[in-house]
């Protein structure tokens, strides 16, 4: 009997040991799975909403950041970005509508500029700032720091953002006749970047950066001291990257995104409130022009627009001086009082005033397709008649006396109302939210990121199909700045 009991106890002991060993093995696997889940970014939601047992069920849970991860090139030497901010006293504000010689006052509030405290009843809330458009690269960088799908593992990234400040960089020596000095920093930037391990992933075609200057400032075509700009965008390494800029060039890897306006909402409700405000605005003037003549620019129609406006009782002319047009309240007051806002070319094809007009619910009137139609393809409807009026002026003499007023008076009230509603509908897509907040609806930054991700994915598709990814990536589009024969007036 004692032997039977001893045998039974021995069996139970071994069974207990076996069960304990099995349980330890299960817990060890469970712990490893949990560890792996936490550290493998490709298997996690950025919001950390993981499977409670540590092993994701891919049939039920999907990574909300799949194909949207972006890696920020934090290793970029500070001489290409942060040193400019730390030495802002030596940087010019870089805009003709500012009476502040230094860039420093413009850099407050993460690059949004000083907050507007007294709006004189013209603006609606506290999300208005005196924003320098040349600081797009700083605003974009600060928004990117809070992007919801960042990764520190570049091999997982769908795109690589380079926090380079090209506008500040080129601005230091832009007027220097010594081209070696003018191009030196751009060459050092390209050499450093192309030497990093991230570069070899797609040889730079997954890299992008933002610029607060137009693309032409980086596309000097002649090597003489009087030619404008640097050679940054003609460097072989740079040609493999995409630049988001205020105004694109004829090369397809320079992509235009909106000029920053002075409205940077922190909440979606602020956008809706502003839309309702401009929708209900009384507009006593048929059309408005805010600007100044360009007597030194051959072919500029600004002088004629001023003449047309001043000759009409239905037009409001705002003669831009540093004091007047440097004040967002003054500009928005005039634009909100008008049905249409004349938007000729600026110092280049585009101008920030066009986005101020959108923001005010004022229907823009364009005279050249490159002022908006062939530039902001990610943002504006392909059918430009939905939101604007086009009066083609290929030459100054093409603009006849009274033509603008006659064209605008010929538009029906129903069509006018439909265009204004479309302009107001576009407002959320054309503003940059405050970097310290995040909106539920897409803003200009979100659309830019989405466009970049889709562009890079197309390159990957070309690679997978065994085709040459350089074809079409940075090709020239010589028709971009011409008047298409099929564009209706």
């Amino acid at each position: 009997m004692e032997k039977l009991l001893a045998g039974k106890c021995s069996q139970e002991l071994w069974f207990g040991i076996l069960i304990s060993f099995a349980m330890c093995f299960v817990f060890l696997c469970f712990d490893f799975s949990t560890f792996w889940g936490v550290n493998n970014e490709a298997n996690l939601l950025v919001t950390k909403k993981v499977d409670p047992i540590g092993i994701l069920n891919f049939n039920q849970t999907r990574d909300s950041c799949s194909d949207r991860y972006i890696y920020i090139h934090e290793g970029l030497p500070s001489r290409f970005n942060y040193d400019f901010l730390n030495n802002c006293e030596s940087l010019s504000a870089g805009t003709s509508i500012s009476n502040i010689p230094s860039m420093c006052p413009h850099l407050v509030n993460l690059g949004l500029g000083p907050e507007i405290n007294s709006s004189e009843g013209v603006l609606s809330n506290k999300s208005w700032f005196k924003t320098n458009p040349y600081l797009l690269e700083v605003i974009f960088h600060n928004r990117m720091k809070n992007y919801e799908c960042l990764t520190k593992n570049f091999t997982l990234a769908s795109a690589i953002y380079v926090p380079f400040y090209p506008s500040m960089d080129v601005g230091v020596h832009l007027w220097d006749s010594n081209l070696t000095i003018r191009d030196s920093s751009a060459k050092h930037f390209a050499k450093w970047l192309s030497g990093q391990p991230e570069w070899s992933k797609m040889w730079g075609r997954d890299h992008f950066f933002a610029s607060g200057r137009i693309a032409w400032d980086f596309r000097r075509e002649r090597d003489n001291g009087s030619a404008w700009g640097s050679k940054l965008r003609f460097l072989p390494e740079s040609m493999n990257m995409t630049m988001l800029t205020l105004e694109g060039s004829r090369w397809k890897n320079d992509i235009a995104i909106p000029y920053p306006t002075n409205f940077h909402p922190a909440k979606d409700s602020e956008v809706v409130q502003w839309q309702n405000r401009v929708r209900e605005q009384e507009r006593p003037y048929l059309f408005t022009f805010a600007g100044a003549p360009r007597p030194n620019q051959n072919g500029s129609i600004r002088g004629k627009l001023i003449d047309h406006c001043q000759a009409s009782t239905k037009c409001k002319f705002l003669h831009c001086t540093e004091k007047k047009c440097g004040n967002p309240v003054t500009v928005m007051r005039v634009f909100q009082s008008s049905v249409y806002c004349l938007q000729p070319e600026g110092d280049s094809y585009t101008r920030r005033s066009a986005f101020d007009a959108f923001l005010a619910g004022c229907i823009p009137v364009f005279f050249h397709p490159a002022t908006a139609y062939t530039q902001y393809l990610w943002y504006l409807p392909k059918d430009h008649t939905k939101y604007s009026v086009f009066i083609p002026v290929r030459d100054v003499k093409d603009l006849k006396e009274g033509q603008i007023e006659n064209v605008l008076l010929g538009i029906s009230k129903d069509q006018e109302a439909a265009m204004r509603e479309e302009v107001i509908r576009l407002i959320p897509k054309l503003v940059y939210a405050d970097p310290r907040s995040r909106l539920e609806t897409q803003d200009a930054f979100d659309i830019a990121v989405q466009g970049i991700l889709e562009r890079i994915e197309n390159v990957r598709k070309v690679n997978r199909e065994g085709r040459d990814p350089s074809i079409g990536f940075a090709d020239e589009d010589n028709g971009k700045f011409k008047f298409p024969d099929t564009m209706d007036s």
Side-chain angles (χ1 to χ4, degrees), residues 11-27:
Q11 290 177 352
E12 290 177 350
L13 177 63
W14 280 107
F15 182 77
I17 292 172
L18 182 63
I19 292 295
S20 298
F21 177 80
M23 290 296 293
C24 289
F25 179 79
V26 169
F27 280 118

Side-chain angles (χ1 to χ4, degrees), residues 410-475:
I411 298 172
S412 70
K413 290 298 180 181
D414 288 344
Q415 185 180 356
E416 172 192 307
M419 285 191 290
R420 181 162 55 251
E421 189 57 36
E422 181 68 12
V423 165
I424 294 171
R425 187 189 68 82
L426 289 170
I427 289 175
K429 301 170 63 175
L430 304 179
V431 297
Y432 295 90
D434 191 318
R436 295 162 291 196
S437 61
R438 183 179 298 165
L439 304 183
E440 294 296 325
T441 54
Q442 281 192 323
D443 71 341
F445 169 85
D446 295 321
I447 293 172
V449 170
Q450 177 183 318
I452 280 289
L453 291 170
E454 291 174 357
R455 173 176 166 82
I456 295 172
E457 180 54 34
N458 286 336
V459 175
R460 288 195 181 87
K461 181 181 178 182
V462 169
N463 276 329
R464 289 194 297 267
E465 295 172 352
R467 294 184 285 134
D468 185 351
S470 67
I471 297 176
F473 185 85
D475 289 358

Side-chain angles (χ1 to χ4, degrees), residues 300-316:
S300 174
I301 65 170
R302 284 171 170 248
K304 273 204 168 185
L305 294 188
I306 293 171
D307 292 341
H308 283 220
C309 188
Q310 291 180 324
S312 172
T313 58
K314 301 180 183 298
C315 183
K316 174 67 175 177

Side-chain angles (χ1 to χ4, degrees), residues 231-265:
K231 291 288 288 270
L232 170 66
R233 297 298 285 147
F234 283 130
L235 299 177
E237 300 89 347
S238 186
M239 288 293 282
N240 276 14
M241 293 188 281
T242 300
M243 181 172 73
L244 300 173
T245 178
L246 301 176
E247 175 183 317
S249 67
R250 62 176 178 268
W251 283 269
K252 292 183 177 180
N253 60 338
D254 292 333
I255 296 176
I257 63 177
Y259 281 76
T261 62
N262 299 292
F263 182 41
H264 303 283

Side-chain angles (χ1 to χ4, degrees), residues 64-85:
S64 66
C65 287
S66 177
D67 301 322
R68 297 198 301 131
Y69 282 113
I70 292 180
Y71 172 84
I72 298 181
H73 223 310
E74 298 288 9
L76 185 71
S78 61
R79 69 179 183 273
F80 297 122
N81 49 27
Y82 292 116
D83 284 357
F84 295 119
L85 306 184

Side-chain angles (χ1 to χ4, degrees), residues 33-34 220 252 304 312 337:
S33 298
T34 304
R220 191 184 71 248
K252 292 183 177 180
K304 273 204 168 185
S312 172
S337 69

